[in-house]
Amino acid sequence: MGLLSSLPPHRRGGGWQWSFLDVVWAVFLLAVVVFLALVFTPRRGDPLSVARSGGATAVPPCAATEVDLLPCEDPRRSSRLSREMNYYRERHCPARGEAPACLVPPPSGYRVPVPWPESLHKIWHDNMPYGKIAERKGHQGWMKHEGSYFIFPGGGTMFPDGAEQYIEKLSQYVPLKTGVLRTGLDMGCGVASFGGFLLKENIMTLSFAPRDSHKSQIQFALERGIPAFLLMLGTRRLPFPAQSFDFVHCSRCLIPFTAYNGSYLIEVDRLLRPGGYLIISGPPVRWKKQEKEWNELQVMAGALCYKLITVDGNTAIWKKPAEASCLPNQNEFGLDLCSTDDDPDEAWYFKLKKCVSKVSMVEEIAIGSIQRWPDRLSKLSARASLINNGVNLFEVDSQKWVRRVSHYKKSLGVKLGTTHIRNVMDMNAFFGGFATAIVSDPVWVMNVVPARKPLTLGVIYDRGLIGVYHDWCEPFSTYPRTYDLIHADAIDSLISDPISGTSSCDLFDVMLEMDRVLRPEGTAVIRGSPDVIDKAAQVAQSIRWNAQVHDSEPESGGTEKILVATKTFWKLPLTSQ
């Protein structure tokens, strides 16, 4: 009884009674235990953190609603932006770390695309199950839904009888079949039948259109195996070098060329090679209720000293002068030359100018002076001489890629030259040596020149090839599943600042973007230093690629490694096909 009576009243008897002090001590002890557990238990981290650091943790799939994920052309973001000059329809990328870090799944029923050249005329319906264009434009011959396929008769709004007939009409005034013209820009291209049917004339047309209410115009074009790019002419220069295209084509593209003090026609002039052709079919050319716009277009073209070749129905064709600009002159638009501070090749997030860029090297790069196709492909570009040691680098680059491509085909099993590969992207193109080495294969190549590197894209266009500027720390302007082969030379340089050498973005993010763009069963070839390639191999595993690492070519004499990977074909729920 003595012991029991010595206890506090709340602890006497058979039951435990908690005081406030007891509760405080219990909570404190529990907190200490949890703290020690957190400190001394090894952390595994979340899957994405592990993958970013080079671990092999699997990256999760995106939701089924994200089968056509376009990080920089997302209507949910653009709807909140200004509509002035179509600013809201241009590129607007999420901040770093905000883009979905997941694997974009294919749509239900997706299958390996129809091979080229059959794909020019038909593609699998389920690869892009969107019939809006077929419903609205079927009577114009754009496309039709027939059974398991979308069929492309080759028509367009301004050429419902077919692109081939339309091309024959244009050929009366424009040398489309002589090798004089090689590179074209098709603005507001629809499903790109015009560019597709010009391919048999050895003309490489880069077709573009924005993401719009028709949905997937560019995706349809790329599925067909036609060069195409997601793009909007709004407030910025288009991501191409000056004086690059042999002709510019607009078939009912609805671009108000003379609006905003003629900013859009000035941009066309920047892109058009001296002696090149401007072709506009549809409004405002002899169009009812657009007489004022048609008159302004003629006056402004005249102010630029363009020669009107013909007006055939609703089609007008001008020829740009092959000599230096006739400006300054007296003109009602107040057009004048840009200052010497303007670099006409600057075109990555660069605002449109209201002045006309000065033309340089006119005699060397004008139509009629530059070599005909295919001679211009191997001809030393005059613009290469403007780059430090460019003449020597041009020759070295060409020879190097002949050897490397041979090694890819014979030793690494890359299926170049077969029906497995049609759409190719070179992420670090420099002078276009890789594209030149595979020009005889049934492929076309999107040559990408990183925006922070020397602006060599003009040299690529002089060779008769096509490409764009881009910064690989951002997503590319294309739909998912649009390339069969993605080639990344010196990938280390794509993720580091060229001046400081510090990392600008993550290898993980760049490879995740490659996965978005690559078709199922498509191929990625990545070259880089051994440590970066080792990390790339780990990332490849986390994004479900089958990858092998190889030594570089024996004759290269370097320590570079090559990763060759195949994107596996999986569907939701995550299963391999």
Side-chain angles (χ1 to χ4, degrees), residues 4 7-19 22:
L4 183 61
L7 292 175
H10 69 278
R11 296 180 61 182
R12 295 176 187 171
W16 181 274
Q17 298 184 30
W18 288 83
S19 69
D22 290 329

Side-chain angles (χ1 to χ4, degrees), residues 445-515:
V445 182
M446 178 68 84
N447 293 282
V448 182
V449 171
R452 292 174 292 172
K453 290 195 171 189
L455 303 182
T456 57
L457 196 51
V459 175
I460 289 172
Y461 275 91
D462 286 348
R463 303 184 80 169
L465 305 171
I466 58 173
V468 297
Y469 294 123
H470 184 67
D471 184 341
W472 284 110
C473 291
E474 296 184 4
F476 193 75
S477 285
T478 193
Y479 285 87
R481 305 172 301 280
T482 46
Y483 284 87
D484 302 300
L485 171 68
I486 300 180
H487 181 258
D489 181 41
I491 197 169
D492 319 44
S493 67
L494 301 183
I495 59 176
S496 61
D497 185 273
I499 298 176
S500 66
T502 58
S503 176
S504 299
C505 49
D506 293 335
L507 177 66
F508 171 83
D509 292 325
V510 173
M511 291 182 63
L512 193 65
E513 173 62 5
M514 292 171 69
D515 180 83

Side-chain angles (χ1 to χ4, degrees), residues 113-287:
V114 175
W116 178 266
E118 189 181 1
S119 61
L120 176 64
H121 306 286
K122 68 178 184 180
I123 63 171
W124 295 115
H125 171 274
D126 288 349
N127 283 13
M128 284 173 299
Y130 312 118
K132 187 176 291 186
I133 301 179
E135 294 167 8
R136 294 187 179 183
K137 302 290 186 177
H139 66 289
Q140 296 173 354
W142 279 40
M143 54 186 282
K144 298 177 181 179
H145 181 197
E146 294 185 4
S148 300
Y149 297 98
F150 279 122
I151 306 297
F152 299 89
T157 303
M158 296 307 300
F159 45 93
D161 294 328
E164 291 180 294
Q165 185 183 72
Y166 177 68
I167 290 167
E168 287 294 330
K169 170 186 170 181
L170 297 181
S171 296
Q172 299 175 45
Y173 315 103
V174 182
L176 295 173
K177 300 187 176 187
T178 63
V180 172
L181 305 183
R182 166 63 180 174
T183 59
L185 182 66
D186 190 13
M187 312 174 82
C189 62
V191 294
S193 288
F194 176 69
F197 282 94
L198 275 174
L199 287 167
K200 71 175 184 179
E201 308 298 343
N202 283 320
I203 289 180
M204 187 63 66
T205 307
L206 180 50
S207 303
F208 79 81
R211 178 173 185 165
D212 65 6
S213 59
H214 290 316
K215 195 174 187 179
S216 302
Q217 292 182 65
I218 294 305
Q219 193 176 15
F220 279 113
L222 288 163
E223 184 76 6
R224 297 175 70 187
I226 303 171
F229 188 60
L230 199 63
L231 189 61
M232 180 71 201
L233 181 54
T235 66
R236 311 178 190 126
R237 284 178 173 175
L238 302 183
F240 312 115
Q243 304 148 45
S244 48
F245 293 97
D246 300 345
F247 68 86
V248 174
H249 175 257
C250 156
S251 174
R252 199 176 172 84
C253 65
L254 303 181
I255 294 173
F257 288 106
T258 59
Y260 311 108
N261 294 323
S263 295
Y264 295 150
L265 192 58
I266 289 172
E267 175 63 359
V268 169
D269 180 75
R270 182 184 74 87
L271 298 176
L272 193 58
R273 190 179 297 276
Y277 294 84
L278 171 61
I279 307 164
I280 299 179
S281 291
V285 179
R286 289 181 173 173
W287 209 262

